[in-house]
Amino acid sequence: MHQYNTQDLREQDGRHHLHPFTDTKDLGCNSRIITGAEGIYIVDSEGNRILDAMAGLWCVNLGYGRQELVDAAAAQMTELPYYNNFFKTAHPPAIKLAKKLTELAPEHINHVFFTGSGSESNDTVVRMVRRYWQLKGQPEKTVIIGRRNGYHGSTVAGASLGGMAPMHEQGGPMLADVEHIAQPYWFGEGREMSPTEFGVLAAQSLEQKIKELGVDRVAAFIAEPVQGAGGVIIPPESYWPEIQRICDHYGILLIADEVICGFGRLGQWFGSQHFNIKPDLMPIAKGLSSGYLPIGGVLVGDRVAETLIEQGGEFYHGFTYSGHPACAAVALRNLELMEEGGVLEHVREVAAPYFAERWASLADHPLVGEARSLGLLGALELVADKSTLARFEPGIGGRCRDNCFNTGIVMRSVGETMVVSPPLVITKPEIDDLVRLARESLDATARQLGIMS
């Protein structure tokens, strides 16, 4: 086994590496150095084995150490390590992957545009939406409506589509003609009414915004089936049917951001299928390759694709690594392995029901105001008072996250909400381990706060 000098690596990291979504000054030379992984566990440079309840960044769906994916990358790198898909060329991995994706997608989706990430996928969505309406003779329809606290990436277009205020405050003005409406966050914003009532009310804020702006200006609505980075916000059952009705009534495009929910996270190939909605565009990434190589794309519904193809001429958009052959080969093999291993069935019939039961058991903890889950997504709302559900001052979530890592589990803090998204191949005993470690982390945080002895 490779031996690492942890302190030397930390010092080099602190001197030269600017991390994403990190306060570099606060981090200093104290980064955690991850050196290996197997199954649902990662290993750090000091030999500690840690349960990765976040599947990397919501993406390692098949778990770590899948030699089949390594072999697929090596074989493709040997045969054709790189070529582009520009200027009337293509290669077998991209072609085969495009066919496979459209077989898995809803029947009205028969085309895919490849990118390198979810952020690039959402940049592509903006270009496609505005080009579509231009070709339809309505170039004034440029406004895309998203949700407050939604997340669609961190490029300029992706950050603009998302509704996260801290991102908007950095870097100056965001993309023009992007608006935001309420999120369907019942625990945080709607407990004075029933979830059903709140779901309809939250959805109807879309209709209000369309009327405010004028339907002649509104091009599309974009949202995640379940908000991931916003705190695993699971919409009430009444929400998505009303959103679909509004989009259909006003004739605007519906964009379902499947970067997190796609590829089995909710027990279906796509979150849209779980909620029975019919999106025109579906940005994808993350679980497409189980994170083994970077790849993303946009699944394009027929009415958009046919307009772009038949009327659009050359589409002046693309990336050097769109449909990269090695990435596409790994993604294709990943999808095959999911089918061969019955991964979606495992999520629906075994893992998700058991996870829901065990995760809900954490609701009795003195720090937890709500424990919610859907598929293999879970969230814990941290509260200072269980009787009133009063929240903590900012910072407790970050403290709990650090305790998690020290306890031997990776959970993510979103403000004062703790979230998980484990690999889809997780077993019942591993779910037991996850919940046990989560409780130990909560206990450690409660002791620091003087709530438990």
Side-chain angles (χ1 to χ4, degrees), residues 55 57-73 97 101 104 114-118 258-260 262-265 269-270 284-297 323-338 424:
L57 274 178
W58 322 82
C59 58
V60 188
N61 288 358
L62 283 186
Y64 298 97
R66 296 302 295 257
Q67 187 62 40
E68 306 99 321
L69 299 181
V70 177
D71 292 343
L97 180 59
L101 283 168
L104 300 177
F114 287 117
T115 70
S117 69
E258 296 277 4
V259 171
I260 286 175
F263 306 106
R265 183 57 53 189
W269 282 110
F270 301 100
I284 56 174
K286 292 191 184 294
L288 173 55
S289 69
S290 282
Y292 277 59
L293 284 176
I295 186 168
H324 186 286
C327 300
V330 168
L332 181 62
R333 187 67 183 122
N334 178 67
L335 299 178
E336 291 171 348
L337 289 170
M338 291 185 70
L424 305 187

Side-chain angles (χ1 to χ4, degrees), residues 194-424:
S194 73
T196 298
E197 292 171 323
F198 177 72
V200 172
L201 184 67
Q204 288 176 347
S205 64
L206 173 60
E207 189 163 38
Q208 294 166 8
K209 181 62 72 171
I210 292 170
K211 290 178 178 179
E212 173 192 324
L213 298 169
V215 70
D216 58 323
R217 293 192 59 223
V218 177
F221 173 66
I222 184 170
E224 306 150 84
V226 173
Q227 285 161 258
V232 181
I233 295 171
I234 302 165
E237 291 183 3
S238 59
Y239 179 79
W240 275 113
E242 183 67 2
I243 289 289
Q244 184 73 67
R245 181 196 70 78
I246 293 166
C247 290
D248 291 345
H249 178 76
Y250 291 97
I252 68 171
L253 299 177
L254 175 58
I255 307 157
D257 186 335
E258 296 277 4
V259 171
I260 286 175
C261 292
F263 306 106
R265 183 57 53 189
L266 303 185
Q268 302 286 343
W269 282 110
F270 301 100
S272 305
Q273 293 164 323
H274 175 87
F275 289 106
N276 195 31
I277 56 176
K278 188 178 180 181
D280 295 285
L281 297 159
M282 291 164 52
I284 56 174
K286 292 191 184 294
L288 173 55
S289 69
S290 282
Y292 277 59
L293 284 176
I295 186 168
V298 181
L299 289 164
V300 185
D302 290 342
R303 69 163 165 163
V304 175
E306 289 167 5
T307 299
L308 295 177
I309 293 166
E310 296 300 326
Q311 302 176 40
E314 184 171 349
F315 185 41
Y316 299 117
H317 181 74
F319 307 96
T320 300
Y321 301 119
S322 292
H324 186 286
C327 300
V330 168
L332 181 62
R333 187 67 183 122
N334 178 67
L335 299 178
E336 291 171 348
L337 289 170
M338 291 185 70
E339 288 184 313
E340 293 166 9
V343 172
L344 268 64
E345 293 81 2
H346 171 73
V347 173
R348 284 198 306 270
E349 299 167 15
V350 180
Y354 190 69
F355 174 71
E357 175 189 338
R358 297 291 290 115
W359 190 250
S361 72
L362 295 170
D364 67 2
H365 194 277
L367 292 186
V368 176
E370 181 183 62
R372 60 178 178 267
S373 70
L374 183 65
L376 284 177
L377 290 169
L380 302 173
E381 297 284 1
L382 302 185
V383 296
D385 186 326
K386 284 179 75 75
S387 62
T388 65
L389 301 182
R391 306 305 291 263
F392 284 105
E393 292 296 317
I396 301 304
R399 185 182 300 187
C400 185
R401 176 200 59 212
D402 292 342
N403 286 330
C404 288
F405 210 94
N406 295 332
T407 301
I409 183 173
V410 176
M411 292 204 294
R412 182 170 176 173
S413 62
V414 180
E416 311 320 307
T417 306
M418 304 304 298
V419 303
V420 296
S421 172
L424 305 187

